[in-house]
Amino acid sequence: MGHNSTFPTFLQNLILPLRQKTVKLLVIEDEAGLRESIEGYFAEDGNICETAFDFSSAMHKVSLYRYDCIILDITLPDGSGLDILRHLKEQEHNEGILIVSAKNSLDDRLTGLDLGADDYLTKPFHLSELKARVAAIVRRKSFDGNRRLRHHEIDIDLASKEVKVEGVNIKLTPKEYSLLLYLIANKGKVISKNAIAEHLWGDSIDLADNFDFLYSHIKNLRKKMVEAGGKDYIQAAYGMGYKFAD
Amino acid sequence: MKLLDRYNRSTILLTVTVMLFAAVVYYFAIKLVLSRQIDKSLEVEEREVLDFVRINGKLPQVFNANHQATAFALTQVPITRRMIDTTYMDVKDNEFEPARAIYTSVMVGPQRYQVTVVQSMVETQDLIKVIFLITLGLIVVLLTALFIFNRIILANIWKPFYIILNQLRSFTLSNGGPIRPINSSIDEFSEMNEAVITMAARAQKDYQALKAFTENAAHELMTPISVVNSKLDSFVQTGAFTNEQSLLLSDMYNSVAKLTRLNRSMLLLAKIENRLITDKQTINLDTLISDTLNQYDDVISGLNIEVKTNLDPKKLDASLLLMEVLISNLIGNAIRHNTEGGRISIELNQHHARFANSGKEKTPLEVQNLFGRFKKSASSDGTGLGLTISKEICDHYGFQLSYQYVNDLHEFVMTFPPAG
């Protein structure tokens, strides 16, 4: 995304660990059930997660405070989320913005992205997918030139898509790479197989047995990381999903 | 049978019957009148002969003229006066002609003479013939006139009917305009037109309402589904589960996933049918196909499916979303219904795209139900809307989507409309 940080690179590197730890989020969502789930899912990691349930309270919050990322529902009871987006862009605020909408309408998607939203997610979505998308946006926003993602001994160069474990380059297939990023973004969480499968293959193909393929990707990824001398982070969770240990 | 033909047939049959009957009646009437006239002239001749004999006491001089001949013959037996049909030998023409004759007797003194007066009927016959021919000619002329007249008049009169019919034929609930009113001075057609317009408008209105309902329902369902989905995601974080519990959770996840897919498909279908997806961009179909194949390459290689592609560059102006859905549906189908170690062959050129795959089904699929809603094979875990959506997308862009079973391969062929 076309955002240029005003910070010099060495300063960025200094604040990088800090920024990675706490992310300040605003969830603008009128559906209480969904809002609470999102809040709960994000807050567990020590992120600061604020919420707004309608247009006016959302406008109030975005005019007063700054966030790393705003999760924005387009259809609000007293206004359009797109207007909040317009307002933010007019004020030249640099929040990462992820639009969530029940309308899988291309027009909304295009309008949203044209207005400067960073991503668009259609309801219903898995919280793990939301988290991965938010993480990607926050990463993009916070360190532009130096796009590296670290998780203990795992070092990922996001630009060249190179993964090093204990300094050893490991070769991952595109699906394994995408899987690894997804797992790291949701570290410490149980992610259902459905969520991972949907992330890897999209929802247009509904293969009954794609869990087998998911299993083989997980197996290969584990093997490659362990062989390179890394810890075995990926755990099977109760037979219904996986968990990436923190 | 066309109404015009039916009408023509009836009128012509009726006309011919009436005319033939009239001709027969006419023939006999004329014949009767004419033969009576001949009989009268025979009687006149007879009286002249009798008068001559009574006044002069001798037979008159015989002379033949005007197809009439008089003859006398001595006879012993009394003769009853009678008239008969006979023939007449025309001396000039030297041929027999039909004739009428009167036999009577006259007494000249003591001698009895038989008097025969023969009158040729050739003129009468000629007259009848001429009359008959004229009648026949009249029938033919009348029939031809009727036929042409009917054709022209009826075709003109029925024009509004055909205009309405053609409109009805091309009428579709989903994307047609209203039925246009016609200009007809004929009450029946005006009334029919009115009724058709009302009916079509009502059907369209009902259909729109139904579609709006489907879209709204699908849309409204998305919120509770997404709440359930997110609550499930939150719930699985809450702690250790027993095997039984995690099995239950897996089932719930799968069902919610299926519900989501189903609902998304219904929304998409409603959107396509409502023509709500209008964006257009140039799409490289060949790249789209190979990208989609790449997305599933792990699944394809996992199932040991041999993929053969023959893709010519092909550009299309269409919605990227719809094209992605279409290609992904067709390729997804080819993978989902395939067998381990099976085959997929994809061919793309300027005219068509062909997706062929081997499958569990070794017989042709039933074409009639193939593109219907919620029609799916028993083994399929899909939503049953994939092919319906594909068909709708193809219809939307004027592509033809057809299915055939060739060389043990299920083939879906998408034919593009001719360029221009």
Side-chain angles (χ1 to χ4, degrees), chain A residues 31 33-34 37 41 103 106 122 124-127 175 189-190 192 194 201 203-207 217 238 240, chain B residues 222-223 226 229-231 233-234 237 239-241 246 250 253-254 260-261 264 279 295-296 298 328 382:
Chain A
E31 185 62 37
L34 195 54
S37 298
Y41 198 83
K103 284 188 192 163
L106 201 74
T122 309
F125 47 79
H126 286 285
L127 294 176
K175 285 243 163 59
K189 303 276 188 199
V190 175
S192 67
N194 296 75
W201 289 286
D203 67 341
S204 47
I205 186 167
D206 29 326
L207 289 160
H217 284 311
Y238 326 116
M240 69 187 153
Chain B
M222 277 304 184
T223 306
S226 61
N229 207 33
S230 71
K231 294 290 172 192
D233 284 343
S234 303
Q237 314 300 333
F241 299 108
S246 48
S250 291
Y253 260 121
N254 288 337
T260 306
R261 274 200 305 271
R264 276 202 182 138
D279 67 297
Q295 202 191 340
Y296 299 133
D298 47 348
S328 152

Side-chain angles (χ1 to χ4, degrees), chain A residues 3 7 15-16 18-27 42 46-50 61-62 65-71 88-89 93-98 116 118 133-143:
Chain A
H3 156 62
F7 289 113
I15 57 165
L16 196 114
L18 272 173
R19 292 293 290 271
Q20 258 189 321
K21 276 228 151 50
T22 36
V23 174
K24 207 176 163 202
L25 282 176
L26 175 63
V27 180
F42 278 88
N47 298 314
I48 297 161
C49 189
E50 290 186 12
K61 287 212 160 139
V62 298
Y65 312 110
R66 300 273 62 82
Y67 301 92
D68 294 305
C69 186
I70 296 173
I71 296 166
L88 285 169
K89 291 299 154 187
H93 291 318
N94 257 317
E95 272 95 350
I97 291 160
L98 173 63
D118 296 273
R133 302 270 186 119
V134 169
I137 292 174
V138 171
R139 272 201 308 268
R140 280 204 297 264
K141 291 280 170 189
S142 45
F143 37 95

Side-chain angles (χ1 to χ4, degrees), chain B residues 203-217 270 274:
Chain B
Q204 271 171 336
K205 208 179 120 222
D206 288 354
Y207 184 69
Q208 291 302 334
L210 192 67
K211 273 198 306 186
F213 175 78
T214 314
E215 200 188 344
N216 289 339
N274 287 338

Side-chain angles (χ1 to χ4, degrees), chain B residues 370-419:
Chain B
L370 205 53
F371 299 111
R373 282 164 198 224
F374 303 113
K375 301 286 181 213
K376 54 179 178 180
S377 62
S379 57
S380 168
D381 201 38
T383 55
L385 287 174
L387 278 177
T388 314
I389 290 176
S390 306
K391 183 86 171 72
E392 282 292 336
I393 294 175
C394 284
D395 288 352
H396 186 79
Y397 290 114
F399 309 159
Q400 263 190 343
L401 185 63
S402 60
Y403 164 83
Q404 64 238 28
Y405 188 69
V406 184
N407 298 333
D408 292 340
L409 291 180
H410 300 278
E411 271 190 12
F412 285 92
V413 182
M414 194 162 87
T415 314
F416 307 119

Side-chain angles (χ1 to χ4, degrees), chain B residues 14 21 33 56 75 112 114 136 142 222 255 328 351 356 369 388:
Chain B
L14 186 73
F21 182 72
V33 168
N56 300 322
T75 182
R112 184 186 300 272
Q114 176 193 292
L136 211 68
L142 193 67
M222 277 304 184
S255 292
S328 152
H351 313 289
N369 288 332
T388 314

